[in-house]
Amino acid sequence: MSTGELLSIEPQELQFPFELRKQISCSLNLSNKTDNYVAFKVKTTNPKKYCVRPNTGVLLPRSTCNVIVIMQAQKEAPPDMQCKDKFLLQSVVASPGAKAKDITSEMFNKESEHHVEECKLRVIYVAAPRPPSPVREGSEEGLSPRASVSDNGSLNAAESVSGTRLEQHKHQDNSDDVTSLSRSVIRTFSSGIEILWASAKSLIFKLTEEKNSAIQQNNRLQQELDLLRREAKRGNGGIPFMYVIPVGLVGLVGIILGYILKTT
């Protein structure tokens, strides 16, 4: 237990029973030793790895508070199970009646006139507790599976312990195989969905282009049809100008020939 002027902190080390791919938590107990309101703040060197609830707060005079530190699931174990992560718990006297929403970072600034207490906490990984081994009713020879009797009547417990550990290892290997198979199936399923979605998007894009092209072609045909209709209406309304010019020329030539014949 760490005992300062403001808070008592227990424990001094954050111990996590490390297990791969599993979220693990531990707790801190804070006790206000004074007759004042005390504000606290929890910091860590690895904020993406841990979640602290609450990370800030106010303790009433002579009150206690429980802080939960959650470590996110880890995919790999650190070398030699050593962790370099650290936590820093800061505390300072707050105004009477202060609440968590009134806490500011300026309150924990050492350069100000506030008296800030600090407590550093280490992170330690400990071995996770093993589940109890199943107890069998008996072996084929009618003896307990946890112990056997040798020829001279002595109890051979070492063989029983070895057998129990072997069963545990087999069970763990089977669980790992099932987990790996499940992940492989999920990855394959996800890849298939991505391929189908890409094909669907390509088909939709192609159909959209063909639709737009058909609409444009239809518009062009409609414009040509309207033009033909307008020309047909003009032809029905009177003699086109292109037909008037040849008739006029023929009449003029006839007049000239008549005049020539008459003069001769």
Side-chain angles (χ1 to χ4, degrees):
M1 177 185 295
S2 173
T3 302
E5 296 180 4
L6 302 178
L7 298 181
S8 294
I9 305 170
E10 185 179 5
Q12 280 294 285
E13 297 175 342
L14 296 175
Q15 297 185 359
F16 292 93
F18 187 86
E19 292 185 56
L20 289 176
R21 302 177 183 87
K22 185 176 180 181
Q23 193 177 72
I24 310 167
S25 64
C26 67
S27 61
L28 281 174
N29 294 319
L30 309 181
S31 298
N32 185 356
K33 301 166 50 181
T34 70
D35 295 326
N36 301 316
Y37 282 72
V38 176
F40 70 89
K41 184 176 184 179
V42 182
K43 298 180 180 180
T44 178
T45 56
N46 197 343
K48 293 183 179 181
K49 185 177 178 181
Y50 301 95
C51 178
V52 183
R53 299 177 181 173
N55 62 338
T56 59
V58 176
L59 273 75
L60 301 180
R62 306 296 176 179
S63 65
T64 60
C65 176
N66 191 29
V67 177
I68 304 298
V69 182
I70 302 173
M71 182 178 70
Q72 304 300 328
Q74 301 298 303
K75 297 181 180 179
E76 297 180 356
D80 301 329
M81 293 296 289
Q82 299 295 323
C83 183
K84 297 181 179 179
D85 301 333
K86 292 181 176 61
F87 283 80
L88 177 66
L89 193 149
Q90 296 177 307
S91 57
V92 64
V93 175
S95 303
K99 297 181 180 180
K101 64 180 181 180
D102 301 324
I103 297 177
T104 61
S105 58
E106 184 65 23
M107 297 173 61
F108 303 96
N109 187 0
K110 291 183 178 181
E111 296 180 357
S112 62
E113 297 180 357
H114 300 127
H115 174 65
V116 181
E117 281 191 358
E118 293 184 343
C119 178
K120 295 182 181 180
L121 306 172
R122 294 192 310 161
V123 175
I124 297 179
Y125 293 151
V126 296
R130 292 182 177 273
S133 59
V135 179
R136 299 179 181 176
E137 294 181 358
S139 62
E140 295 180 357
E141 299 178 357
L143 299 177
S144 171
R146 300 181 63 183
S148 62
V149 179
S150 62
D151 294 338
N152 57 4
S154 61
L155 187 63
N156 190 355
E159 294 181 0
S160 174
V161 174
S162 299
T164 302
R165 291 180 178 175
L166 181 60
E167 291 293 334
Q168 292 178 352
H169 287 310
K170 288 181 179 179
H171 179 72
Q172 182 67 30
D173 293 339
N174 292 335
S175 300
D176 293 341
D177 293 339
V178 173
T179 302
S180 300
L181 180 60
S182 301
R183 290 178 179 170
S184 177
V185 171
I186 292 174
R187 285 196 297 268
T188 303
F189 183 72
S190 300
S191 300
I193 291 177
E194 292 178 357
I195 294 173
L196 289 175
W197 177 241
S199 300
K201 288 196 298 184
S202 177
L203 180 59
I204 292 172
F205 181 75
K206 184 177 180 181
L207 292 175
T208 303
E209 288 186 343
E210 292 179 356
K211 177 183 176 182
N212 295 335
S213 177
I215 292 174
Q216 293 176 359
Q217 186 175 3
N218 186 30
N219 293 335
R220 286 197 298 269
L221 292 175
Q222 187 66 34
Q223 292 175 0
E224 293 178 359
L225 181 60
D226 294 339
L227 181 61
L228 291 174
R229 287 176 179 174
R230 287 195 297 269
E231 291 180 354
K233 288 181 180 180
R234 283 188 217 155
N236 294 333
I239 300 175
F241 181 74
M242 61 183 299
Y243 294 115
V244 174
I245 294 177
V247 173
L249 290 176
V250 171
L252 181 62
V253 171
I255 294 173
I256 295 173
L257 290 176
Y259 178 76
I260 295 173
L261 292 174
K262 185 177 180 180
T263 53
T264 56

